[in-house]
Amino acid sequence: MNAERDLSPLTPGVVRALTDKLYEKRKVAALEIEKLVREFVAQNNTSQIKHVIQILSQEFALSQHPHSRKGGLIGLAACSIALGKDSGLYLKELIEPVLTCFNDADSRLRYYACEALYNIVKVARGSVLPHFNVLFDGLSKLAADPDPNVKSGSELLDRLLKDIVTESNQFDLVGFIPLLRERIYSNNQYARQFIISWILVLESVPDINLLDYLPEILDGLFQILGDNSKEIRKMCEVALGEFLKEIKKNPSSVKFAEMANILVIHCQATDDLIQLTAMCWMREFIQLAGRVMLPYSSGILTAVLPCLSYDDRKKNIKEVANVCNQSLMKLVIPEDDEIDEAKPSMTIPAEPTSEESLSKPEAVTTGESQLNELDVTALNQSLFFPCSCERVQVTLNLDGIVQVLDYHLSDTSIGMMTRIAVLKWLYHLYIKTPRKMFRHTDSLFPILLRTLSDESDEVILKDLELLAEIASSPAGQTEEGHGPSDGSDVRPGPVELHVPARAGQLSSSSTKGLECSPSTPTMNSYFYKFMINLLKRFSSERKLLEARGAFIIRQLCLLLNAENIFHSMADILLREEDLKFASTMVHTLNTILLTSSELFQLRNQLKDLKTPESRNLFCCLYRSWCHNPVTTVSLCFLTQNYKHAYDLIQKFGDLEVTVDFLTEVDKLVQLIECPIFTYLRLQLLDVKNNPYLIKALYGLLMLLPQSSAFQLLSHRLQCVPNPELMQTTDNTKPSTSFKRTAASNIDYTELLQHFEKVQNKHLEARHQRAGRAEQLDRRVVL
């Protein structure tokens, strides 16, 4: 720089002034440079103009000496002013050295660089747009500058550049998006504020369609929404709100599929604002895009289901999540149950997807909340949407959905409302897509049975509704030889089971190999399996039987058919090896049968035994009821088999009478006084035709010790009228009798023998238990 020839056409005086430490002298030198360049412009001497710019850049602006760099910056600005509208021809040479000084360690020099660039841009105006990316990159760094003067200067330059972009229609948005996508992940709050301000500006320009590139920046926007600064969060809220307005106005041009994955992740954010905003977006996406969102169902459910159990502190999120859940459920239609090979999936128009957007996973992987292992699996199965330029198949990923539902139902820490929502989803899927859902029934069955132990009655009700649908759905019918895989569930003998008819529910093929009447189609193969597993559940979890057993059975009687429930359970209990459980279960069923309003119709059916079906049911129940002597007598009372009841009570003298036995007799006496046995008490008026009823009641009286129950029954029998006093009616008229002809086709002798056989088994089992207890006591003493 000391060689004068190297710096011509700059004079030695100008060179000295440019390197002076005083700003005023450098300014005078800049005016001289401006004058010199104007002369070159007038002469159209482009080579000399380039030479001057090169000298100012290489020898001054990029010099090691700080004052020289300051001189170079003001000199380049002077060149730009002198060039005027022609500065666009030299912008690359003018801008690059100035941007280099943005990184200078001296804050004062960074300020001068900002001032110089402001002057260059102000002169060039729209000509700087081809260089917008490098200018934006430099400005984004200055926005986070710690020096307030530098920040102030950068803000002036930033506003100028925004004005230029706003008034121009030549902005290269395609070239800018990669830079924006990179810078949007900055953690510096000033850089974030700078980014958001630019997004708001670009959104406001009518000629710039930023919505097309929203998938590129949406994840970054949600990241910024979690900033600590309230001002930045508010700005980001506004930006996202504007985007959502545009989406609602122009849904046909929105790339819903490319953004679904991003929303799923942020719907699980720990930050309430991020989660609520993402959930609102998800709600709009599901309602606007419809079945386009179906391939993402498992991921959406992963995000939405836990929110349904939020308390009032997150009430807004819970309400929006509920709308998302309901809207998504409505997208599943019966056509989704079509066999994949038989019928093509529904198709809808799809937007073209750029290769770049498919190959850039960072918008997903940089999300604030990380999915657990199951969530990632579910997303991998469902969140990558297969796009094409023309049409895209929309298929229901049932495997992924069931996996997510199963996970949430198995999670004991999940809230009640979430469990209810999961059960509603499964029920809905069995209604809309039964054939596909039955592929998952064997894996779902254990968890559905465990859910019967839930603390919430509402959860149990939904679980029972689902199990009832599985047990009665025509899609669960299996051909002969293709029943449930569990060999222990196969019945040793034919048992006819019926459900109330549902119009159009069964085709002729669905009942192949199964007995049924035209009006009552048979249950499917899962019904009996369900009954077996339910009783196993009661056997292994006695607390469930005590606390919820009656509730569960009563609800099943409403959902399915009471006759089927009792018939099947009695049939299963007949082969129960745990005799103590069998006795307890029979007692429970008998109590339900005699006291529940839901079983009024079944009681009436058994009361008269007029039909072959009712007599068949009585015999089936009787054989299992023999596990409990007192319940057997109560069944005979219910069915008006009074002679047989008397015969049974005669056998009680041979039984081991325990305190529990007497307690059950006491309860039976209490039941006789209830409204259910009103007809029985009225029959006591007809002494002549009901001698065995009176004998049976006296038999119970003789069994009881002189307790309150003894007094109650004794008082009742004292009210039985004298037969001679009852003969005051006109003998010419046929007497009104409560007598019922004994049911035909019932071998009561054989039933009595069966009763004795079962009681002998119980006696033997009690002795074995007593023997084991005695041996255990001896071991303890030794």
Side-chain angles (χ1 to χ4, degrees), residues 600-651:
F600 174 79
Q601 186 176 354
L602 184 61
R603 283 196 297 271
N604 281 346
Q605 184 180 345
L606 287 168
K607 182 178 173 181
D608 296 326
L609 298 180
K610 291 180 178 178
T611 63
E613 291 80 11
S614 63
R615 293 192 288 271
N616 178 46
L617 177 61
F618 165 72
C619 292
C620 180
L621 294 180
Y622 181 94
R623 294 178 185 281
S624 289
W625 263 228
C626 286
H627 284 297
N628 191 306
V630 180
T631 60
T632 312
V633 171
S634 68
L635 180 63
C636 291
F637 282 160
L638 175 65
T639 56
Q640 303 184 71
N641 283 296
Y642 301 134
K643 183 179 184 306
H644 192 71
Y646 172 71
D647 292 339
L648 286 173
I649 293 172
Q650 291 292 330
K651 300 289 184 181

Side-chain angles (χ1 to χ4, degrees), residues 66-85:
H67 296 313
S68 295
R69 293 200 294 276
K70 294 174 184 177
L73 289 171
I74 198 171
L76 289 171
C79 286
S80 178
I81 293 170
L83 288 168
K85 62 180 182 179

Side-chain angles (χ1 to χ4, degrees), residues 434-598:
R435 284 185 289 180
K436 288 185 178 179
M437 277 302 296
F438 266 95
R439 302 171 186 172
H440 302 276
T441 301
D442 287 339
S443 62
L444 286 171
F445 229 76
I447 180 61
L448 294 178
L449 287 168
R450 287 198 299 271
T451 305
L452 291 174
S453 303
D454 198 274
E455 296 177 355
S456 167
D457 285 350
E458 193 173 352
V459 171
I460 295 176
L461 279 173
K462 293 299 177 187
D463 192 33
L464 289 172
E465 286 179 13
L466 175 56
L467 286 166
E469 178 59 31
I470 292 173
S472 60
S473 173
Q477 295 285 12
T478 56
E479 303 294 338
E480 284 188 283
H482 299 280
S485 57
D486 186 356
S488 64
D489 295 349
V490 179
R491 286 173 281 179
V495 176
E496 188 176 356
L497 301 174
H498 303 99
V499 288
R502 296 190 209 177
Q505 195 177 46
L506 285 177
S507 63
S508 58
S509 62
S510 65
T511 59
K512 181 179 179 182
L514 298 169
E515 296 181 11
C516 66
S517 67
S519 61
T520 54
T522 58
M523 286 290 187
N524 67 34
S525 57
Y526 282 92
F527 174 80
Y528 206 77
K529 183 177 183 179
F530 173 34
M531 292 297 104
I532 288 176
N533 283 280
L534 179 60
L535 288 174
K536 285 181 180 178
R537 188 80 182 165
F538 285 149
S539 177
S540 61
E541 196 173 337
R542 297 298 172 87
K543 289 183 179 179
L544 174 63
L545 176 59
E546 294 172 6
R548 301 290 181 83
F551 172 73
I552 290 172
I553 294 169
R554 288 171 61 186
Q555 292 303 318
L556 284 175
C557 289
L558 288 174
L559 292 166
L560 294 169
N561 178 272
E563 181 181 350
N564 291 338
I565 300 297
F566 275 79
H567 200 304
S568 59
M569 285 191 170
D571 184 62
I572 297 164
L573 288 171
L574 192 60
R575 280 165 280 277
E576 176 60 50
E577 295 180 358
D578 186 346
L579 299 181
K580 189 174 182 180
F581 166 71
S583 177
T584 303
M585 194 67 221
V586 162
H587 177 74
T588 302
L589 289 171
N590 186 67
T591 303
I592 296 169
L593 176 62
L594 293 179
T595 61
S596 298
S597 59
E598 296 88 348

Side-chain angles (χ1 to χ4, degrees), residues 377-414:
T377 303
L379 289 176
N380 288 340
Q381 291 177 345
S382 68
L383 289 182
F384 294 98
F385 191 75
C387 296
S388 67
C389 292
E390 295 179 0
R391 297 179 72 83
V392 61
Q393 287 189 339
V394 175
T395 56
L396 181 68
N397 179 19
L398 201 60
D399 293 348
I401 293 175
V402 173
Q403 182 185 8
V404 172
L405 295 175
D406 185 284
Y407 170 78
H408 283 88
L409 196 59
S410 303
D411 187 357
T412 55
S413 64
I414 212 72

Side-chain angles (χ1 to χ4, degrees), residues 633-774:
V633 171
S634 68
L635 180 63
C636 291
F637 282 160
L638 175 65
T639 56
Q640 303 184 71
N641 283 296
Y642 301 134
K643 183 179 184 306
H644 192 71
Y646 172 71
D647 292 339
L648 286 173
I649 293 172
Q650 291 292 330
K651 300 289 184 181
F652 283 7
D654 300 328
L655 302 179
E656 183 180 5
V657 178
T658 63
V659 174
D660 291 340
F661 177 87
L662 292 176
T663 301
E664 291 191 19
V665 175
D666 188 298
K667 291 179 180 178
L668 177 56
V669 171
Q670 302 293 335
L671 273 173
I672 290 172
E673 295 298 320
C674 291
I676 293 170
F677 282 114
T678 299
Y679 67 91
L680 181 147
R681 297 195 301 273
L682 287 174
Q683 286 172 348
L684 291 174
L685 294 173
D686 190 359
V687 178
K688 182 179 179 181
N689 292 316
N690 293 291
Y692 287 105
L693 170 59
I694 298 172
K695 286 185 176 184
L697 292 178
Y698 269 108
L700 291 178
L701 186 66
M702 295 304 109
L703 285 170
L704 285 168
Q706 294 196 22
S707 59
S708 59
F710 177 90
Q711 298 296 333
L712 185 65
L713 184 54
S714 175
H715 186 69
R716 172 64 65 184
L717 290 172
Q718 288 173 14
C719 297
V720 175
N722 188 325
E724 295 180 359
L725 297 177
M726 299 299 288
Q727 293 179 359
T728 58
T729 57
D730 187 356
N731 292 329
T732 62
K733 297 180 180 179
S735 61
T736 303
S737 174
F738 292 98
K739 183 177 179 181
R740 176 177 57 82
T741 304
S744 58
N745 301 327
I746 296 179
D747 186 349
Y748 288 97
T749 303
E750 190 273 333
L751 292 180
L752 200 59
Q753 291 172 353
H754 177 77
F755 174 81
E756 291 176 341
K757 181 179 179 181
V758 172
Q759 291 310 307
N760 287 334
K761 285 184 179 179
H762 277 270
L763 182 61
E764 183 181 346
R766 279 196 294 270
H767 289 165
Q768 289 177 353
R769 287 197 297 270
R772 287 195 294 269
E774 186 178 349

Side-chain angles (χ1 to χ4, degrees), residues 181 216 355-364:
R181 184 178 57 195
E216 305 281 344
E355 292 182 4
E356 181 181 80
S357 64
L358 292 175
S359 62
K360 295 284 185 179
E362 59 265 29
V364 173

